[in-house]
Amino acid sequence: MAQADATLMDTGGPAAKRGGTEKLVTADGVPLKRALERAQRRRKLVALGLVGPLLLFILTVFVFPIAQMMWLSVSNPQVVNALPRTLEALQDWDGRDLPPEPVYAALHADMVEDLERERRDRLTGPLGIRLNYEISAARSAISRTARQVDSFEAPFKDAFMDAHRLWGQPELWRVIKREGRPLTTSYYVAALDREFDEFGNIVQRDENRRIYVSLFGRTLMLSVIITAMTFLLGFPIAYYMSILPMRHANLLMICVLLPFWTSLLVRTSAWIVLLQQQGVINSGLVGLGIIDDANRISMIYNMTGTIIAMTHILLPFMVLPLYSVMRTIPPSYMRAAKSLGATPSTAFRRVYFPQTLPGIGAGGVLVFIISIGYYITPALVGGQSGRMISNEIARHIQQSLNWGLAAALGTMLLVGVLALYWLYNRLVGADSLKLG
Amino acid sequence: MGNASTSDGFVAFDRVQKSYDGETLVVKDLNLSIAKGEFMTMLGPSGSGKTTCLMMLAGFETATSGEISLDGRPINSVPPHKRGIGMVFQNYALFPHMTVGENLSFPLEVRGMGKSEREKKVKRALDMVQMGKFAGRRPAQLSGGQQQRIALARSLVFEPDLVLMDEPLGALDKNLRERMQYEIKHIHNNLGVTVVYVTHDQTEALTMSDNVAVFDDGIIQQLAPPDVLYEKPDNAFVAAFIGENNTLRGKVDGVNGTTCTVRLDDGSEVKALKVNVAGDGVRTTLSLRPERVVLGEEAASMPNRFEAEVLELIYLGDHIRVRMNVCGDDEFIVKVPNNKGGRDMKVGQKAPVGWAIEDCRALDPS
Ligand SMILES: Nc1ncnc2c1ncn2[C@@H]1O[C@H](COP(=O)(O)OP(=O)(O)OP(=O)(O)O)[C@@H](O)[C@H]1O
Ligand SMILES: [Mg+2]
């Protein structure tokens, strides 16, 4: 009987009334299980139909490209594809002096294998570019050699060294051997301002060639400053809006949201007009005699410019969550605190402020994450000192075409953001976030 | 328990007025005196200005004119946190980010009290409301009734002389409300603290208070102990607002000392107590409690006697409400005990009704 009860509980339906051990069927004789399955299959299909398009969209434009990017940061097919024989011959090489003649012979065999010009270029071109990331002039060495290689005769060692001096340097061979694997860490090594020394150890680069770590640091610092600025500016205004009657609050809200409704470029140009050395603010200050003409303040094309412009742009992301949290805090809490003897400032600090923390957390995380990857504003008004890591990534994608390094930098940024979010989650708890 | 009629009470409102918009007065000329240790209830319909009065007393609203004094000192310009008045809010206003213990300890902390003393007082306050085991919980983890107790304990933990409660039981169900009424009353008796209590539930007001101030339209209509309020309402509003009430309308037709004769609109004549009528010839409302009307043979000995028709019978268990037509009024209610006589009544039946002069009060016209 207990079993029958359990079945009844599980399936319910019209058949339940019949009870007993006979097979449960619906009123029109279909086995209940199958009827239920059919009903649920339809529901699942509907759910899939509703979620599907977005899922597909996210997969194609978000998940897939990011996976692709992460793959690019470690993928290293160029040397393996172009020089298979050479790599095999290099296997026993000790990495100190120049490799022996058979290695050069193998290199020759690799390079002449494709007599057809175009196909050879298709392999040696990427090879040159790839090696050039590690050792300058490698690209011209490869291309020049590729042009002449058909006329080489044994002993190949001398022939290669005649064609380009790099073939006589163990450094090039070490790079070829090191990068002769389908996966590489060298983009990450470079992204951390490090390189391989002659013994294959990872060491720091010379001082004047270190860029990325300090740039990461600056990006982090700028994001923290911008987050703090939006908080300092946004908190009072959000508070004020939350205590205003709805209709006045909405008016103020429009002012806060105005940046959202203006094109980024228009806004940025406005900042340029306002902040540049011949701009409105400087001229005004000079006109008032506060500063003299020779000492106009530079507020744009530097870090200040980035901070000012991005604070303005990201302010709504701070104000909106703050406001939506503050709206829900009933005024009776502050009153209760005061009636219990707390001064207005104590009441604010001990009772009101802690309740706004979910909003501060949400706004802070939003602003911080957006600003850490911000690109356009620093590019337009940041000058040299206001650049951020995304500008460097963009440079590698658009100008130096070192996509591997760009991908490594991008992946590090992504992992960094995820790590910070994880930390936030550990410390504060992401479920306390209130995004509006 | 003191009486509110002393002019220099513990709490005194002196000609207090309040307007929010500068056009209408929400509180009009409030004079109220509350003795130390008294349980005073402000009772009135929604929008009558009860909360406003309480907020002025607590310091969250300023009186537009007039003076409020506490213990002999004017407090108009004293900020809320320096008034030392405990308060229980309708939504309890327990701080959600603090535990129950921290909530209670908050008023002691801001007074700079030491840790061990705080703990002692918090424990005592929690025990007082039988919530000793809940000190570590968050308010969200408590039921409505439990939150209510904590709010009560928090308003008392710093030992204020005066506690204000704005519909503190409004969110509770009937049973719990009755239990809490009893507990609040009990605590009030034990501590001797002065309580100003706001409610629009008349039963609550009648069962708990030493004195009830009936508010309407920003004015105190009557200030009296519960029994007086019920037995001897001063005006038609109070009579109608407190308890069940039969009203008969007519014109005064002859005054005789403390009684008067009233000619009702249908021509019948009623003798009533002259309470709130200016004199001969003015319109008046007669107020008569349903349980004071006698039905059947007993009515014969009453000075006011009429023939009435039963229109409706409503069965209420311990008694039966009989709606009748008396002197042209179709809404005349009589309460009949559920005994043999009561059960035998039929709709359409004619029966004599009657009542004493003292039970029929001639009040202002309404
Ligand atoms: N902050 C305010 N601004 C403007 N008018 C207000 C404000 N608070 C209350 N009022 C008005 O004052 C009048 C009295 O309000 P009050 O809150 O004192 O009523 P109440 O007696 O407490 O009613 P309830 O039983 O519904 O709580 C109402 O007409 C109300 O609309
Ligand atoms: Mg109210």
Side-chain angles (χ1 to χ4, degrees):
Chain A
M1 198 54 227
Q3 201 182 353
D5 276 349
T7 338
L8 295 188
M9 295 257 286
D10 274 346
T11 47
K17 288 189 204 87
R18 285 173 218 165
T21 49
E22 69 195 271
K23 200 169 174 191
L24 294 168
V25 291
T26 61
D28 45 1
V30 185
L32 196 56
K33 264 230 166 79
R34 201 188 310 151
L36 189 69
E37 252 167 41
R38 197 186 299 153
Q40 282 185 344
R41 193 176 329 128
R42 183 164 329 133
R43 201 175 322 149
K44 275 184 203 153
L45 282 178
V46 169
L48 195 69
L50 291 174
V51 180
L54 179 64
L55 204 65
L56 210 67
F57 183 73
I58 287 180
L59 272 178
T60 47
V61 306
F62 187 71
V63 176
F64 179 69
I66 282 184
Q68 178 96 359
M69 176 196 78
M70 291 171 117
W71 169 246
L72 267 185
S73 70
V74 291
S75 143
N76 193 32
Q78 298 91 336
V79 182
V80 181
N81 288 350
L83 306 174
R85 293 183 190 83
T86 319
L87 287 173
E88 209 181 319
L90 269 176
Q91 225 146 45
D92 304 326
W93 180 53
D94 65 355
R96 292 288 160 84
D97 308 314
L98 281 178
E101 172 66 17
V103 175
Y104 286 92
L107 177 64
H108 180 254
D110 278 331
M111 291 190 82
V112 297
E113 186 201 23
D114 279 313
L115 286 174
E116 201 187 317
R117 186 93 220 162
E118 228 172 86
R119 287 187 56 193
R120 186 187 295 171
D121 283 351
R122 213 181 300 144
L123 287 176
T124 54
L127 176 69
I129 292 171
R130 177 69 189 89
L131 293 180
N132 212 59
Y133 294 152
E134 311 291 330
I135 181 169
S136 46
R139 187 173 183 182
S140 63
I142 299 286
S143 59
R144 191 184 308 165
T145 314
R147 255 179 275 128
Q148 301 173 5
V149 74
D150 292 322
S151 59
F152 284 6
E153 285 178 22
F156 293 112
K157 189 169 182 170
D158 294 330
F160 274 100
M161 280 161 63
D162 281 344
H164 198 281
R165 62 179 171 82
L166 263 190
W167 293 119
Q169 290 179 10
E171 204 192 338
L172 176 62
W173 289 101
R174 279 198 290 269
V175 169
I176 290 177
K177 186 169 179 181
R178 196 180 72 225
E179 300 307 328
R181 269 174 256 129
L183 295 178
T184 183
T185 57
S186 61
Y187 293 123
Y188 284 99
V189 172
L192 289 166
D193 285 338
R194 268 137 233 254
E195 61 190 1
F196 291 94
D197 69 0
E198 54 187 302
F199 308 108
N201 301 318
I202 297 174
V203 294
Q204 268 206 319
R205 282 208 168 131
D206 301 337
E207 194 111 29
N208 54 359
R209 289 179 59 211
R210 291 178 205 158
I211 312 171
Y212 305 114
V213 172
S214 64
L215 199 57
F216 267 115
R218 187 202 291 163
T219 307
L220 217 61
M221 182 192 72
L222 279 176
S223 304
V224 169
I225 293 177
I226 289 161
T227 310
M229 293 280 291
T230 53
F231 170 70
L232 289 179
L233 292 174
F235 193 90
I237 193 73
Y239 175 71
Y240 187 56
M241 284 197 309
S242 76
I243 58 173
L244 275 184
M246 215 41 163
R247 116 190 98 91
H248 298 287
N250 284 341
L251 203 72
L252 252 181
M253 178 63 86
I254 289 173
C255 300
V256 172
L257 288 183
L258 218 56
F260 268 157
W261 299 343
T262 338
S263 141
L264 194 73
L265 283 172
V266 172
R267 258 181 296 159
T268 311
S269 325
W271 282 117
I272 294 174
V273 169
L274 211 61
L275 297 177
Q276 64 188 336
Q277 298 228 307
Q278 302 305 321
V280 177
I281 291 182
N282 266 314
S283 306
L285 289 176
V286 170
L288 290 171
I290 295 171
I291 54 173
D292 65 60
D293 202 25
N295 296 326
R296 284 169 179 260
I297 313 165
S298 42
M299 287 176 289
I300 201 163
Y301 305 124
N302 58 18
M303 213 184 276
T304 321
T306 303
I307 292 174
I308 293 177
M310 283 183 62
T311 302
H312 177 233
I313 289 164
L314 297 179
L315 197 57
F317 291 97
M318 180 62 90
V319 172
L320 285 177
L322 273 179
Y323 172 69
S324 81
V325 167
M326 287 172 172
R327 260 280 173 215
T328 62
I329 303 177
S332 62
Y333 286 130
M334 280 289 272
R335 291 186 161 181
K338 286 183 201 161
S339 83
L340 294 170
T343 60
S345 71
T346 307
F348 184 85
R349 194 165 42 81
R350 297 270 320 265
V351 173
Y352 190 81
F353 184 76
Q355 294 187 62
T356 62
L357 283 177
I360 296 176
V365 164
L366 262 181
V367 171
F368 185 80
I369 287 181
I370 295 177
S371 56
I372 213 171
Y374 223 71
Y375 159 70
I376 184 88
T377 307
L380 290 174
V381 301
Q384 192 58 38
S385 67
R387 291 164 64 79
M388 301 185 37
I389 195 70
S390 9
N391 304 110
E392 197 58 27
I393 295 174
R395 188 176 71 81
H396 281 302
I397 289 177
Q398 291 161 353
Q399 288 162 32
S400 81
L401 302 182
N402 188 348
W403 282 32
L405 184 55
L409 290 170
T411 307
M412 280 165 63
L413 192 61
L414 180 66
V415 170
V417 168
L418 289 179
L420 286 171
Y421 185 72
W422 175 82
L423 195 71
Y424 175 87
N425 195 10
R426 281 295 298 272
L427 296 179
V428 186
D431 39 345
S432 73
L433 281 188
K434 274 232 177 117
L435 292 176
Chain B
M1 299 302 122
N3 194 296
S5 55
T6 48
S7 62
D8 50 353
F10 180 58
V11 177
F13 285 80
D14 185 20
R15 309 225 308 267
V16 171
Q17 294 186 316
K18 172 72 186 175
S19 170
Y20 284 105
D21 51 9
E23 284 167 16
T24 50
L25 283 174
V26 170
V27 174
K28 303 167 186 158
D29 194 32
L30 180 74
N31 292 291
L32 180 62
S33 166
I34 303 166
K36 197 160 181 125
E38 186 179 330
F39 197 115
M40 151 73 74
T41 298
M42 297 178 173
L43 174 68
S46 190
S48 56
K50 310 180 295 289
T51 300
T52 306
C53 285
L54 212 61
M55 288 299 161
M56 287 192 290
L57 185 49
F60 298 122
E61 296 288 352
T62 49
T64 312
S65 77
E67 196 161 89
I68 304 171
S69 59
L70 177 63
D71 209 4
R73 280 175 302 121
I75 53 168
N76 282 26
S77 55
V78 178
H81 64 274
K82 291 199 181 134
R83 295 195 182 188
I85 298 175
M87 186 149 187
V88 181
F89 291 82
Q90 181 164 11
N91 62 358
Y92 314 136
L94 295 175
F95 307 140
H97 58 292
M98 297 185 190
T99 63
V100 164
E102 287 163 350
N103 262 286
L104 261 72
S105 152
F106 182 83
L108 307 177
E109 259 171 69
V110 299
R111 284 172 171 73
M113 195 176 281
K115 188 160 192 275
S116 60
E117 201 181 351
R118 281 201 319 251
E119 277 167 3
K120 222 167 60 208
K121 292 206 170 187
V122 167
K123 186 169 173 343
R124 197 176 338 130
L126 282 177
D127 288 342
M128 178 181 70
V129 292
Q130 291 118 47
M131 294 286 291
K133 280 181 280 182
F134 295 85
R137 295 246 197 128
R138 298 268 163 148
Q141 298 166 320
L142 300 176
S143 73
Q146 290 170 335
Q147 291 183 28
Q148 214 289 325
R149 279 162 207 256
I150 300 302
L152 188 63
R154 190 180 67 175
S155 72
L156 292 165
V157 70
F158 59 100
E159 292 164 11
D161 292 327
L162 174 63
V163 178
L164 314 181
M165 307 190 188
D166 190 358
E167 303 197 26
L169 308 181
L172 306 182
D173 66 53
K174 188 164 170 293
N175 281 338
L176 197 53
R177 198 157 63 215
E178 275 162 16
R179 216 171 65 221
M180 287 306 300
Q181 284 169 10
Y182 170 76
E183 277 184 36
I184 291 176
K185 191 64 198 159
H186 192 72
I187 288 171
H188 167 248
N189 286 339
N190 283 349
L191 299 182
V193 62
T194 311
V195 177
V196 179
Y197 193 97
V198 164
T199 182
H200 56 232
D201 179 341
Q202 47 156 308
T203 324
E204 200 165 290
L206 295 182
T207 53
M208 297 176 81
S209 325
D210 298 322
N211 272 307
V212 180
V214 181
F215 273 68
D216 185 41
D217 199 21
I219 294 173
I220 297 186
Q221 302 286 340
Q222 187 171 1
L223 171 64
D227 53 336
V228 175
L229 216 52
Y230 186 82
E231 310 276 350
K232 297 175 179 149
D234 274 352
N235 57 40
F237 174 81
V238 176
F241 191 72
I242 309 278
E244 220 174 342
N245 185 54
N246 290 313
T247 41
L248 299 169
R249 292 186 176 80
K251 209 179 253 177
V252 180
D253 186 17
V255 178
N256 180 15
T258 58
T259 63
C260 59
T261 309
V262 174
R263 182 159 308 279
L264 299 184
D265 296 344
D266 75 331
S268 33
E269 209 166 81
V270 179
K271 290 200 180 61
L273 214 54
K274 173 179 169 284
V275 180
N276 194 358
V277 291
D280 230 351
V282 298
R283 286 198 65 80
T284 180
T285 308
L286 295 179
S287 152
L288 181 59
R289 298 289 177 199
E291 68 273 16
R292 297 294 168 87
V293 180
V294 291
L295 199 67
E297 285 109 63
E298 295 162 62
S301 61
M302 290 297 175
N304 295 305
R305 265 171 324 228
F306 298 97
E307 195 65 15
E309 184 191 350
V310 177
L311 298 177
E312 192 179 3
L313 294 164
I314 299 163
Y315 181 78
L316 283 172
D318 60 337
H319 72 270
I320 295 166
R321 276 164 52 99
V322 186
R323 185 163 68 84
M324 311 184 93
N325 179 315
V326 177
C327 305
D329 177 19
D330 274 350
E331 300 295 327
F332 199 95
I333 303 291
V334 181
K335 282 186 188 167
V336 186
N338 186 3
N339 55 22
K340 181 139 184 4
R343 272 205 304 279
D344 285 347
M345 308 246 315
K346 300 264 177 326
V347 172
Q349 174 189 344
K350 293 256 190 321
V353 294
W355 56 85
I357 297 177
E358 317 79 81
D359 290 332
C360 182
R361 298 170 68 82
L363 305 173
D364 54 323
S366 64

